[in-house]
Amino acid sequence: MNILTLQNITKTFGGLIAVNNVSFDIKKNCIVGLIGPNGAGKTTIFNLITGNYKGDSGSKIKFKDKSIINMPTHKIISLGIARTFQTIRLFQNMSVIENVLSGRHLQMKSGVFASMLHTRKQKQEEKYNLNKALKSLKFVGLEKNANDLAKNLPYGKQRLLEIARALASEPSLIILDEPAAGMNNQETSELVNIIENMKKRNITTLLIEHDMSLVMRICEKIVVVEYGSKIAEGTPLEIQNDPKVIKAYLGEE
Ligand SMILES: Nc1ncnc2c1ncn2[C@@H]1O[C@H](COP(=O)(O)OP(=O)(O)O)[C@@H](O)[C@H]1O
Ligand SMILES: [Mg+2]
């Protein structure tokens, strides 16, 4: 079963076609890689999935059989899609646990009124959310850092914190934009473990990544884009041997 289907998605900025009629789908519980040279349109595809950009007419995106194209981002998150960003977007002066809690605010049930009155229901909910947030932190191995300021974490751990925050919204699909960028080898292998553990918990992953050994190791399917268009799609083995892909990458150097 497909969890996400992109059909003929196109995005232009003025005269520039950033994404050109791209279609592919993602099966539930798979790890899929989206690769391509810089400027190929990968992040723009993510921004279309999460509603940060509106698609040009004719673009269709379905998540669990529901059309999500041009839906507001908060609604898309509440349906079960979470993301991380290419450049880290944490609340640098807040603690690690507070950053994760910020990923849960959509799950909170009691409204502003209850929080002003500090009702028992609201206190219970805070406790519940704190527990969930701690679980997300533990999942990425940052539970010992819960009370540190985000800005005091080394870069690789900040990236893991972004994943914990995304997981805190309890997504069924997580999309990661260059999660291994700036990570050392040990952090990268921790990241691989985390992504594989997400799969065990029935979370589907779509990732953009330049670290080819990571992509080839964990992805079951890879989609390749160049100049906004999809040029190939297949298993790691198929992609490694695809002449168009080889040319796109050799041409970049
Ligand atoms: N908000 C925007 N306004 C104008 N151009 C954009 C915008 N976002 C992306 N682009 C352009 O779209 C193209 C694809 O960018 P992007 O999706 O970031 O590529 P990638 O993530 O594959 O490196 C680039 O030429 C980029 O400059
Ligand atoms: Mg990008």
Side-chain angles (χ1 to χ4, degrees):
M1 196 196 114
N2 291 335
I3 190 165
L4 188 78
T5 309
L6 308 188
Q7 233 179 324
N8 307 110
I9 58 165
T10 297
K11 179 68 187 172
T12 48
F13 297 104
L16 176 94
I17 308 180
V19 179
N20 191 0
N21 208 27
V22 169
S23 303
F24 64 91
D25 47 49
I26 296 175
K27 285 203 167 54
K28 202 167 174 279
N29 215 13
C30 266
I31 301 172
V32 177
L34 177 61
I35 67 169
N38 278 326
K42 304 178 297 294
T43 297
T44 304
I45 292 173
F46 272 24
N47 284 324
L48 290 166
I49 295 170
T50 53
N52 295 82
Y53 291 162
K54 286 196 186 322
D56 290 9
S57 74
S59 307
K60 292 194 184 87
I61 303 181
K62 276 200 297 188
F63 176 62
K64 295 178 180 167
D65 288 328
K66 195 179 189 128
S67 170
I68 58 164
I69 188 90
N70 302 340
M71 239 187 211
T73 302
H74 66 91
K75 219 167 159 203
I76 293 172
I77 296 170
S78 70
L79 289 175
I81 301 181
R83 78 177 292 181
T84 64
F85 293 90
Q86 190 172 341
T87 42
I88 288 177
R89 291 194 191 179
L90 292 168
F91 298 109
Q92 293 287 342
N93 288 314
M94 276 164 53
S95 69
V96 164
I97 189 73
E98 283 168 332
N99 270 280
V100 183
L101 279 166
S102 76
R104 277 204 63 78
H105 74 271
L106 281 164
Q107 268 59 37
M108 297 189 188
K109 299 282 180 309
S110 45
V112 179
F113 202 57
S115 63
M116 281 191 317
L117 295 173
H118 226 76
T119 59
R120 198 172 67 177
K121 182 171 163 245
Q122 201 236 349
K123 277 187 207 147
Q124 277 170 350
E125 191 171 30
E126 275 175 1
K127 208 172 150 194
Y128 179 79
N129 279 310
L130 187 62
N131 251 320
K132 288 273 184 185
L134 282 169
K135 272 198 181 138
S136 296
L137 267 189
K138 204 161 176 199
F139 194 82
V140 303
L142 287 181
E143 70 274 21
K144 287 200 191 80
N145 301 96
N147 295 314
D148 297 349
L149 288 182
K151 68 178 175 195
N152 292 337
L153 290 184
Y155 187 82
K157 285 191 172 179
Q158 291 196 19
R159 287 226 164 258
L160 296 182
L161 174 54
E162 286 219 308
I163 295 177
R165 180 173 62 184
L167 288 173
S169 69
E170 304 188 295
S172 44
L173 171 68
I174 187 164
I175 66 177
L176 308 172
D177 198 343
E178 301 193 22
M183 283 190 171
N184 61 34
N185 286 343
Q186 197 212 321
E187 289 163 339
T188 304
S189 60
E190 273 169 43
L191 174 70
V192 166
N193 282 336
I194 290 165
I195 295 172
E196 284 170 346
N197 285 334
M198 293 195 297
K199 183 181 159 83
K200 285 181 196 145
R201 298 199 180 187
N202 297 316
I203 299 171
T204 308
T205 302
L206 172 64
L207 76 154
I208 296 173
E209 189 46 66
H210 285 298
D211 180 340
M212 281 309 128
S213 70
L214 182 148
V215 170
M216 295 300 164
R217 198 165 131 204
I218 62 172
C219 293
E220 293 151 277
K221 172 165 115 168
I222 297 168
V223 175
V224 191
V225 287
E226 188 190 23
Y227 299 117
S229 300
K230 183 175 90 175
I231 59 165
E233 177 176 354
T235 63
L237 197 63
E238 287 165 344
I239 292 305
Q240 282 173 58
N241 293 303
D242 188 309
K244 273 190 287 185
V245 178
I246 294 166
K247 188 163 170 276
Y249 274 91
L250 293 179
E252 198 189 18
E253 299 300 284

